[in-house]
Amino acid sequence: MANPSAPRQKGIIQTPEERVKNFDPVVKGLTAQTAKAEAQRCLNCKNAKCSAACPVNVKIPEFISLVLKDDMGGAASKIMETSLLPAICGRVCPQENHCEGACILNGRFEPVAVGLLERYVADTAREQGVLKAPEPSAWTGKRVACVGSGPSSLSAAAELRRAGHEVVVFEALHDYGGVLRYGIPSFRLPREVISKEVETVQAMGVVFERDVLVGASVTIEELKEQFDAVYIGSGAGLPTMANIPGENSVGVYSANEFLTRINLLKAYKFPEVDTPVNIGKRVAVLGGGNSAMDAARCAMRLGPESVTVVYRRSLEEMPAREEEIHNAMEEGIKFEFLTVQKEILADEKGRVKGLVCTRNELGEPGPDGRRKPVCVPGSEFTLDVDTVIVAIGQKPNPIIPKKTKELKVTSKGVLEATEFGETSLKGVFAGGDIIRGGATVLLAMKDGIIAARKINEYLGVGNDY
Amino acid sequence: MIINTVTDKKQLSQDIARFEIYAPKIAAKAKAGQFVIIKHDSDKEGERVPVTLVDWDADKGTIVVIVQAIGKSTAMYNNLKTGDRFTSVVGPLGMPVEIKNYGTAAVVGGGVGIAEVYPIAKALKEAGNKVISVLGCRTKALLILEEEMKNLSDMTIVSTDDGSCGAKGLVTDAIQKLVDESNKIDVGFIIGPIPMMKFTSILMSKLGIKPYASLNPILLDGTGMCGCCRVTVGGEVKFACVDGPMFEGDLVDFDELSRRTGEYKDKEKLSFDLYKEKHICKSGLH
Ligand SMILES: Cc1cc2nc3c(=O)[nH]c(=O)nc-3n(C[C@H](O)[C@H](O)[C@H](O)COP(=O)(O)OP(=O)(O)OC[C@H]3O[C@@H](n4cnc5c(N)ncnc54)[C@H](O)[C@@H]3O)c2cc1C
Ligand SMILES: Cc1cc2nc3c(=O)[nH]c(=O)nc-3n(C[C@H](O)[C@H](O)[C@H](O)COP(=O)(O)OP(=O)(O)OC[C@H]3O[C@@H](n4cnc5c(N)ncnc54)[C@H](O)[C@@H]3O)c2cc1C
Ligand code: SF4
Ligand code: SF4
Ligand code: FES
Ligand SMILES: [Mg+2]
């Protein structure tokens, strides 16, 4: 019998004191026992609001019922009917905005922990060896190139391979996963989870080539000649700098640089690895999204005296995932809300010695309904910091559109694409952050699947396989 | 042949090694002024290191890089042999240098910068320029590619700090002398240590020669996604790995470049000391 009033399972969470000393997962997932207990809380709704609110409409009540029956293979297959990366989505989706936020239990009880359950199913099915990658259909005689190996390209590649095409993924970096690998830290997303997802796609027969920068090592035109269609999932890897005086001082990092050193090159292990990273004693992190939270929490784990997040709006408006904001606060990270960076001060050696800020207050609502932050005159003050990490946004990397004249770009700098991922260049499709700007893993995945289906049509291959 | 294999490695001097590497995609597209990022995982995960494309053979599918051992990673590469493989070689990166007929081009290389400027000298000669090469280094034993540069230049001047080869003095002295002796120079391409590029750019500007300098900030990815390599040129922030690395020398903030490249000096020393310790213990050699 459903048991919604039982307390919501949380998994085993490392204490803040412990976890700021390591990069191990903050949350150890559910066990067989706690997974069943949580699954029992679900009402198995007929017109499940949770599924409707999931951008790829995962069949949630259905997979939860299979958890109750201990059928991990079945539950995994059920999830993978619409989501190709359940171990990842379960860990990084902002569930509060989707499945869990829409769960009918909200209000009277706590919502069902859909994310933790999804993660449990994926991890356990994998352990038991019953996580089945979709079977590729018979070879269509067609070849498709995928640019980038982030969630968008990975999903497109898997879906295209499932349709029976030959697929090759080209990645600029020396390892696969995109932002999952270089941006999101291992204490949120263990490296093995990413590697296993990539291996699953490889096992389907998708070929991966690393160290290939499309636009330089090979052009889009050449890919169009060598392949029958091209999917661009090159993400939004261009860091937005604050453009304030002193930004080139020694000790100022973009979040991309800082996170890439730590997550991709494991600089927190230096000198057991060759890549270094420097963090001073007092760190300021500018921004309020997932990048800022990840940068702040990685910085904290390097042992400074303090880490302070500087955000121009209020807590309620922070776009970062709720769980990460909460965890960051528990880990001792300080927050200066309604605060804007104005200038970075440096000493005689050019090293950061302070961050000049002003305060904002919320004024009249703007066209999007949100109250606009307005500068408070005379509110200038200086934060005593020696390191600044700029995590205020990302834009699409311009290399491919710059080197491919016919690929149109919108005024926002993203690739122009239809709702099916068709770009202005025939036979070239795109999805994920390269068409959305910095968005989410799930939307990137969704774009990949939708574009793959459109590519099937374009190649004269049906979509029922 | 597996990509990234070192098809030929030889020492040019005690600390400078020449690597021929099998990298057909890169060899097919390489242009003067561009570079690659190499990575080598030994017992530790390697870092990403930029090195200039010195030469390439599209038919053989090979590229040539010339590397000076000045720290842990480059010392480790120095100990590789023909037949070893780099873990990663990515490129060609950076903007190619604009090669056209300027008239007379001065090509100035300092230390290992001589190797880095060689492909530019070659391309300028092929485009019909009169090429004056100025090669600077501390002492004769460290001079590399003298023959190769002489073979493609109309004039070659060697400058050593101690006078052991060529003129005693700096490349700036050599350039001043060239102009004093009524040599008309239309443009300069400079690659070498930061102070050398700074003062050569200043001098050339003064003498009415447009200077271009190939900047060497610290790089991480080399593809424009991190901003590590940012430099200030003409008051604007540029990413050396995608907008450069060659920039107008009279507009570069060399002092800022110098400060930023010193960021990791302490950690670099630690890493190098640990490597040297281990290497001495292992082979008994230095
Ligand atoms: C620090 C950080 C934390 C985040 N946390 C979350 C989170 O918790 N939850 C969430 O839903 N979303 C999160 N996001 C957003 C999410 O990661 C992205 O929306 C998503 O990764 C986009 O996927 P993608 O496949 O489009 O691109 P990316 O993941 O950016 O992958 C693009 C890949 O393409 C490669 N590439 C780029 N250009 C080329 C080229 N020319 N040739 C070859 N390869 C190329 C890149 O190296 C990269 O590997 C986060 C983002 C950041 C930066
Ligand atoms: C575009 C470009 C082209 C280059 N071409 C050549 C070349 O053809 N031959 C050659 O010998 N060297 C070249 N260099 C310099 C080379 O990258 C450095 O000498 C090398 O990184 C030193 O590594 P290390 O670990 O041995 O020394 P370390 O002890 O780590 O560093 C020694 C010094 O090298 C510089 N350095 C360190 N890390 C980097 C990095 N990631 N990127 C850039 N500089 C760094 C710093 O100034 C540092 O103080 C080039 C650099 C750039 C930016
Ligand atoms: S994919 Fe994300 S939004 Fe959809 S059900 Fe899973 S955790 Fe929720
Ligand atoms: S809305 Fe909540 S209770 Fe209903 S099926 Fe979804 S998770 Fe279960
Ligand atoms: S090295 Fe990262 S942007 Fe240039
Ligand atoms: Mg180094």
Side-chain angles (χ1 to χ4, degrees):
Chain A
M1 220 37 271
N3 190 12
S5 60
R8 177 180 142 115
Q9 294 293 333
K10 295 193 200 313
I12 302 166
I13 308 180
Q14 279 194 70
T15 65
E17 300 74 34
E18 248 330 286
R19 68 191 195 234
V20 291
K21 299 199 199 111
N22 63 57
F23 277 80
D24 302 328
V26 169
V27 182
K28 260 179 85 171
L30 301 172
T31 60
Q33 211 184 347
T34 52
K36 277 238 179 71
E38 188 60 24
Q40 206 102 55
R41 297 183 64 239
C42 172
L43 298 178
N44 202 355
C45 306
K46 270 228 166 27
N47 291 315
K49 287 195 180 347
C50 53
S51 293
C54 166
V56 297
N57 306 121
V58 168
K59 299 201 170 80
I60 300 170
E62 289 91 335
F63 95 72
I64 293 183
S65 307
L66 290 164
V67 171
L68 282 170
K69 297 199 181 110
D70 251 321
D71 180 2
M72 288 302 116
S77 295
K78 189 52 70 178
I79 299 172
M80 286 169 79
E81 278 172 28
T82 55
S83 162
L84 294 169
L85 309 167
I88 293 175
C89 290
R91 287 171 163 87
V92 307
C93 268
Q95 287 93 0
E96 66 269 21
N97 296 340
H98 300 307
C99 48
E100 295 179 18
C103 175
I104 201 125
L105 298 189
N106 275 305
R108 282 184 61 207
F109 308 110
E110 291 176 277
V112 173
V114 177
L116 276 175
L117 282 168
E118 193 169 307
R119 177 186 153 168
Y120 171 77
V121 167
D123 292 349
T124 313
R126 193 157 256 143
E127 265 166 48
Q128 293 178 357
V130 296
L131 187 86
K132 289 271 170 282
E135 275 295 313
S137 309
W139 190 41
T140 56
K142 302 291 183 184
R143 309 180 68 230
V144 185
C146 292
V147 180
S149 65
S152 183
S153 255
L154 285 176
S155 315
E159 189 63 22
L160 288 162
R161 185 74 197 103
R162 191 150 80 108
H165 312 304
E166 192 184 305
V167 183
V168 182
V169 171
F170 296 97
E171 168 57 50
L173 294 172
H174 56 269
D175 205 352
Y176 309 111
V179 172
L180 305 174
R181 178 77 66 181
Y182 77 73
I184 299 181
S186 50
F187 55 80
R188 283 216 284 139
L189 184 58
R191 312 292 83 182
E192 316 82 66
V193 174
I194 308 169
S195 299
K196 289 237 151 44
E197 295 289 14
V198 172
E199 278 162 32
T200 301
V201 180
Q202 281 173 316
M204 291 174 74
V206 172
V207 172
F208 280 71
E209 279 195 38
R210 59 186 175 84
D211 303 320
V212 177
L213 182 65
V214 174
S217 322
V218 65
T219 62
I220 292 282
E221 283 85 17
E222 286 169 329
L223 289 181
K224 282 192 71 192
E225 284 164 29
Q226 300 162 21
F227 295 86
D228 299 297
V230 179
Y231 178 76
I232 302 178
S234 51
L238 184 69
T240 304
M241 299 307 282
N243 293 323
I244 52 176
E247 204 166 25
N248 282 4
S249 304
V250 178
V252 181
Y253 283 111
S254 74
N256 265 4
E257 181 189 349
F258 181 68
L259 292 170
T260 298
R261 283 180 185 274
I262 301 250
N263 300 322
L264 179 67
L265 289 153
K266 308 179 192 74
Y268 63 93
K269 292 188 184 167
F270 180 92
E272 269 107 69
V273 297
D274 290 341
T275 307
V277 71
N278 274 347
I279 212 86
K281 298 205 172 71
R282 291 167 298 278
V283 185
V285 177
L286 314 181
N290 285 316
S291 265
M293 292 306 103
D294 284 338
R297 296 172 69 199
C298 284
M300 202 55 163
R301 282 157 172 74
L302 298 180
E305 284 166 14
S306 70
V307 177
T308 306
V309 170
V310 172
Y311 181 52
R312 63 197 201 95
R313 291 178 182 273
S314 63
L315 170 60
E316 294 71 36
E317 300 165 287
M318 279 195 118
R321 209 170 160 264
E322 236 168 52
E323 187 183 353
E324 313 315 335
I325 301 175
H326 171 76
N327 284 340
M329 289 179 166
E330 279 194 342
E331 287 163 16
I333 289 157
K334 301 194 235 173
F335 286 74
E336 293 280 357
F337 292 109
L338 292 164
T339 308
V340 184
Q341 63 279 356
K342 277 282 175 280
E343 182 179 346
I344 296 173
L345 304 173
D347 63 17
E348 341 69 56
K349 292 208 182 114
R351 294 210 63 98
V352 175
K353 75 169 185 198
L355 177 71
V356 180
C357 303
T358 53
R359 298 286 190 195
N360 277 342
E361 60 189 358
L362 292 177
E364 289 305 305
D368 58 356
R370 295 208 290 173
R371 291 182 70 189
K372 289 198 67 165
V374 172
C375 182
V376 174
S379 62
E380 212 175 79
F381 70 103
T382 301
L383 267 178
D384 176 18
V385 291
D386 57 18
T387 308
V388 177
I389 304 177
V390 182
I392 59 180
Q394 320 258 111
K395 292 194 282 271
N397 191 308
I399 286 192
I400 291 175
K402 250 168 69 172
K403 300 280 171 89
T404 321
K405 297 301 166 221
E406 309 88 339
L407 260 185
K408 292 224 194 86
V409 157
T410 71
S411 53
K412 293 209 177 117
V414 299
L415 275 192
E416 224 179 64
T418 66
E419 61 186 300
F420 301 107
E422 297 148 305
T423 67
S424 55
L425 196 47
K426 188 156 181 275
V428 177
F429 301 73
D433 282 5
I434 190 69
I435 67 171
R436 294 173 179 270
T440 66
V441 169
L442 192 56
L443 289 175
M445 189 176 81
K446 182 178 182 187
D447 287 349
I449 297 174
I450 289 177
R453 301 237 166 98
K454 204 53 165 164
I455 294 176
N456 288 336
E457 268 178 46
Y458 170 75
L459 295 177
V461 169
N463 264 310
D464 30 44
Y465 42 81
Chain B
M1 174 63 68
I2 309 178
I3 61 158
N4 306 341
T5 301
V6 177
T7 48
D8 182 57
K9 185 225 173 190
K10 64 171 185 266
Q11 294 298 126
L12 297 183
S13 69
Q14 184 185 5
D15 290 331
I16 302 185
R18 177 187 184 278
F19 298 85
E20 186 188 84
I21 305 169
Y22 183 67
K25 275 194 176 72
I26 305 175
K29 295 213 160 50
K31 292 197 167 60
Q34 293 188 299
F35 63 97
V36 291
I37 291 247
I38 57 183
K39 181 175 190 275
H40 190 64
D41 300 337
S42 54
D43 54 340
K44 300 186 179 181
E45 167 139 21
E47 54 178 341
R48 294 172 63 93
V49 175
V51 292
T52 305
L53 281 161
V54 170
D55 209 347
W56 46 91
D57 186 332
D59 298 322
K60 275 175 72 185
T62 53
I63 60 172
V64 173
V65 300
I66 291 178
V67 184
Q68 176 177 29
I70 62 162
K72 191 262 156 107
S73 296
T74 49
M76 175 175 69
Y77 303 158
N78 220 350
N79 286 313
L80 293 174
K81 300 179 195 36
T82 300
D84 286 339
R85 269 186 79 200
F86 281 101
T87 310
S88 290
V89 181
V90 193
L93 303 176
M95 294 284 290
V97 166
E98 195 194 351
I99 302 291
K100 61 183 192 201
N101 195 337
Y102 294 91
T104 301
V107 169
V108 189
V112 74
I114 296 172
E116 300 176 41
V117 88
Y118 164 84
I120 298 173
K122 186 164 161 218
L124 287 166
K125 189 81 194 104
E126 283 164 7
N129 289 281
K130 177 172 171 203
V131 174
I132 302 180
S133 290
V134 181
L135 317 180
C137 65
R138 279 190 292 121
T139 185
K140 187 183 167 103
L142 301 175
L143 181 60
I144 55 169
L145 302 192
E146 194 189 350
E147 276 314 300
E148 289 85 343
M149 288 301 270
K150 275 201 169 112
N151 288 342
L152 60 81
S153 311
D154 294 277
M155 251 179 111
T156 306
I157 299 171
V158 175
S159 258
T160 44
D161 291 2
D162 62 3
S164 53
C165 181
K168 176 163 189 236
L170 306 170
V171 296
T172 38
D173 301 325
I175 292 163
Q176 183 69 60
K177 186 159 180 278
L178 278 166
V179 171
D180 290 342
E181 291 169 357
S182 306
N183 286 291
K184 183 181 184 309
I185 302 174
D186 299 297
V187 70
F189 292 89
I190 314 156
I191 308 187
I194 295 170
M196 174 262 197
M197 292 196 289
K198 173 180 170 184
F199 290 111
T200 308
S201 295
I202 291 174
L203 176 65
M204 283 190 171
S205 256
K206 212 177 89 177
L207 298 172
I209 306 167
K210 180 69 178 178
Y212 290 94
S214 188
L215 304 187
N216 57 348
I218 294 178
L219 264 57
L220 184 64
D221 62 300
T223 64
M225 61 82 92
C226 78
C228 184
C229 62
R230 57 194 190 279
V231 291
T232 303
V233 183
E236 287 181 10
V237 176
K238 302 277 181 199
F239 286 9
C241 70
V242 291
D243 302 316
M246 190 69 82
F247 291 100
E248 297 169 85
D250 48 343
L251 301 178
V252 172
D253 185 344
F254 283 103
D255 294 337
E256 175 189 89
L257 177 63
S258 194
R259 290 192 299 268
R260 287 183 60 78
T261 54
E263 162 104 57
Y264 296 103
K265 280 234 149 22
D266 295 338
K267 292 206 157 72
E268 287 162 358
K269 179 171 193 305
L270 171 62
S271 185
F272 200 15
D273 287 343
L274 286 171
Y275 178 77
K276 285 189 275 198
E277 252 174 55
K278 183 162 182 206
H279 199 72
I280 293 174
C281 289
K282 257 178 76 178
S283 61
L285 300 163
H286 190 332

